[in-house]
Amino acid sequence: MDRFISHKVKNLAPSGIRQFFDLVLKTKDVVSLGVGEPDFAAPWRIREKAIYSLEQGYTSYTSNKGLLRLRLEIAHFLKKHYRLIYDPGEEILVTTGVSEGLDLAIRTILNPQERVILVYPCYVAYPAVVELSAGRVVPLYTSFEESFKINPEKLKELIKRYKPKAIILNYPTNPTGVSYSKEELKELWRVLSKEDLLVISDEIYDLITYNFKHTPFSTFKGAKGKTIYLGGFSKNYAMTGFRIGFACGRRELIEQMSKIHSFVMLCAPIISQLSAIEALNSQKDVESMVKEYRRRRDFIVGELNNLGFKTLLPQGTFYCFSSIKNTGLSSLEFASLLLKKVKVAVVPGEAFGLLYRDFIRVSFASPFPDLKEAILRIRKFKEQYLKN
Amino acid sequence: MEDVLKILEGNARISFEDLAKLTGEKEPELRKMVNKLEKKGVIVKYKAVINKELLPGERSVLALIEVKVSPQKDVGFDAIAERIYKFPEVKSCYLLSGTYDLLLVVEGKSIHTIADFVAEKLAPLEAVKGTVTHFMLKKYKEDGVILRKKKEIKRLTITY
Ligand SMILES: Cc1ncc(COP(=O)(O)O)c(C=O)c1O
């Protein structure tokens, strides 16, 4: 069979991680800090809307770009929340998750061999999507010492050297929990505004922030025209299974993205679109979830630091990225041993970039008792199985 | 403080240590705060929400009883309400607007014990004009808690 598989596909994703994931999924009684989605079910009013839509017989296709009502609601939300103006007619496309929006954006802009800057550690889909378009990844590495934030000078240099077509930004960031203040973003825009490249900004965690209000990249003067803004429902509203998101950008870009979308996806599921309308009117539910995440964040980060795993306080998302450097183990070794000895699952840092073997991603999207149990087990693990 | 109350409402048995971790407050401060809230009567008591349907053996019966009463001079409904809620059988007692006045939640060993309570204790009171008794068949949700066995987790245990 092997000969039927394309090289491009065969070479996707590091295999060690996949085996580790399979092992976790097979292990019983795992306390998991490895989950990349909320532990909450979608708020009841959203689920109720989905049920009602089915009862009413909403089971058809919609227009390719998505229900106009939903696009209007998205435009309204962005305006009210961020003072961002997008035309629901031509500048907004409803996608089957941010995953699809990302794929469309890259496929729309990239010719083979063209380059895209990715900020590492980064979400696993980015390099894969670039590679599937035969593009080339230009890694911009961020370090613990830099608080995992982009150094504008490094960015400038990379652009000069590689002339990339685009950069993918993601903040609040999976896997580090880092986000950027308005001032920090302004610095980045100062660099990017002078260059001829497109920004794809994945802001799927925009409502899950703790320290300051989120600033969409396209709010800066002149940035809207050079940015594809990707927004989601999966994380903010705990709607991962609904598979819905949206992309905003210039008419010309959205039109071309819609073209691909109309051939390969037709439209996002109508039930999810109707539910998303309800979601945009469920901000109270979001607030209470974020409040809960914040409590857990404070707990878990405190405990990890106490245990000697240096961890920065996340400014958004439900992840933190902890250093395991002093254990002398690679992240995959550490995660495998942790699973084997005390049945706690974490994601090895190297899943997000090979340079991050000294880190693990810890998700606090789990109920408090689970977090507490996980910490007890990690303490035991440290005492029994780790040197120093 | 709202935070603390919210957490305690969800789990009255949480330790001060965990409470401190969750709120970022110091333990002694929290002890003081909770003490004060208890003294002021904001926190009335700590109780377990029990799903008795899962217990083996004999079950008690609950009834909601609507009571029509005539208010009394000067004291309104308070005096008659007090006479009624002092019966230990009465678990809760509310004054309502609408077609009747008091709503009682009454617990008894069986339908007969509750019927006896209504016939012998409640109905004979002079201020009581009439009663309607509803026996409770099933509890779905109580005090914000859905009374159902915990479902299995549906998420995959590891994802990016
Ligand atoms: C940074 C980031 N972008 C995109 C996605 C995918 O989101 P969606 O469910 O909208 O496809 C995820 C999910 O983990 C993510 O972390």
Side-chain angles (χ1 to χ4, degrees), chain B residues 107-148:
Chain B
E107 185 168 19
K109 274 211 169 64
S110 69
I111 291 185
H112 305 295
T113 13
I114 291 180
D116 288 349
F117 171 74
V118 174
E120 288 164 19
K121 300 281 185 335
L122 198 58
L125 290 173
E126 197 178 310
V128 171
K129 294 270 169 273
T131 64
V132 178
T133 303
H134 308 269
F135 288 105
M136 196 176 295
L137 303 181
K138 186 168 180 177
K139 278 191 198 175
Y140 292 103
K141 184 175 180 181
E142 187 164 74
D143 287 344
V145 184
I146 293 168
L147 302 172
R148 205 171 39 187

Side-chain angles (χ1 to χ4, degrees), chain A residues 36 97-99 123 126 170 174 202 204-205 234-235 243, chain B residues 160:
Chain A
V98 168
S99 302
Y123 178 55
Y126 302 161
N170 166 224
N174 178 6
D202 175 352
I204 188 168
Y205 295 94
S234 288
K235 318 289 173 163
R243 309 310 305 127
Chain B
Y160 287 113

Side-chain angles (χ1 to χ4, degrees), chain A residues 17 21 24-25 32 34-39 124 291 295 299 303 346 361 365-366 368 372, chain B residues 2-4 6-7 14-15 17-19 21-24 153-160:
Chain A
I17 299 291
F21 270 45
V24 174
L25 295 174
S32 186
V35 189
E37 64 177 322
D39 55 310
V124 293
K291 208 163 170 188
R295 282 195 200 120
F299 168 75
E303 294 290 323
V346 295
R361 190 194 71 179
S366 287
F368 186 66
K372 220 176 131 187
Chain B
E2 266 171 48
D3 246 22
V4 172
K6 185 122 203 181
I7 295 170
I14 192 170
S15 67
E17 192 191 341
D18 285 348
L19 199 56
K21 281 174 187 156
L22 282 176
T23 55
I153 308 162
K154 299 187 200 88
R155 297 185 301 170
L156 294 176
T157 44
I158 192 157
T159 42
Y160 287 113

Side-chain angles (χ1 to χ4, degrees), chain A residues 35-37 95-102 122-126 169-175 202-205 230-235 239-246 317-319 352 361, chain B residues 159-160:
Chain A
V35 189
E37 64 177 322
T95 57
T96 305
V98 168
S99 302
E100 195 216 355
L102 177 74
C122 81
Y123 178 55
V124 293
Y126 302 161
L169 296 180
N170 166 224
Y171 65 93
T173 310
N174 178 6
D202 175 352
E203 302 178 25
I204 188 168
Y205 295 94
L230 301 177
F233 293 88
S234 288
K235 318 289 173 163
M239 289 173 71
T240 45
F242 282 79
R243 309 310 305 127
I244 184 124
F246 57 91
T317 74
F318 32 70
Y319 312 113
F352 307 98
R361 190 194 71 179
Chain B
T159 42
Y160 287 113

Side-chain angles (χ1 to χ4, degrees), chain B:
Chain B
M1 187 179 75
E2 266 171 48
D3 246 22
V4 172
L5 286 175
K6 185 122 203 181
I7 295 170
L8 284 175
E9 243 186 329
N11 176 12
R13 295 187 58 191
I14 192 170
S15 67
F16 277 101
E17 192 191 341
D18 285 348
L19 199 56
K21 281 174 187 156
L22 282 176
T23 55
E25 308 276 346
K26 299 232 160 48
E27 253 186 79
E29 248 98 278
L30 284 168
R31 276 177 204 281
K32 245 187 260 164
M33 183 198 296
V34 170
N35 229 314
K36 221 180 196 171
L37 288 166
E38 288 168 358
K39 282 226 175 77
K40 270 169 82 182
V42 177
I43 298 175
V44 182
K45 73 170 184 176
Y46 302 91
K47 69 169 208 173
V49 179
I50 293 167
N51 188 356
K52 289 191 176 145
E53 294 193 2
L54 297 180
L55 287 176
E58 193 176 322
R59 288 180 202 164
S60 62
V61 175
L62 279 178
L64 298 184
I65 303 177
E66 300 170 3
V67 188
K68 261 196 188 139
V69 295
S70 35
Q72 289 157 306
K73 205 165 179 316
D74 298 331
V75 287
F77 290 105
D78 293 354
I80 179 66
E82 184 175 355
R83 281 198 63 184
I84 292 173
Y85 66 60
K86 280 200 164 152
F87 287 110
E89 291 90 336
V90 177
K91 287 182 53 157
S92 309
C93 174
Y94 311 95
L95 176 64
L96 304 183
S97 65
T99 54
Y100 58 93
D101 306 301
L102 297 176
L103 177 67
L104 314 181
V105 181
V106 173
E107 185 168 19
K109 274 211 169 64
S110 69
I111 291 185
H112 305 295
T113 13
I114 291 180
D116 288 349
F117 171 74
V118 174
E120 288 164 19
K121 300 281 185 335
L122 198 58
L125 290 173
E126 197 178 310
V128 171
K129 294 270 169 273
T131 64
V132 178
T133 303
H134 308 269
F135 288 105
M136 196 176 295
L137 303 181
K138 186 168 180 177
K139 278 191 198 175
Y140 292 103
K141 184 175 180 181
E142 187 164 74
D143 287 344
V145 184
I146 293 168
L147 302 172
R148 205 171 39 187
K149 263 192 258 177
K150 280 221 174 97
K151 285 222 199 95
E152 280 183 49
I153 308 162
K154 299 187 200 88
R155 297 185 301 170
L156 294 176
T157 44
I158 192 157
T159 42
Y160 287 113

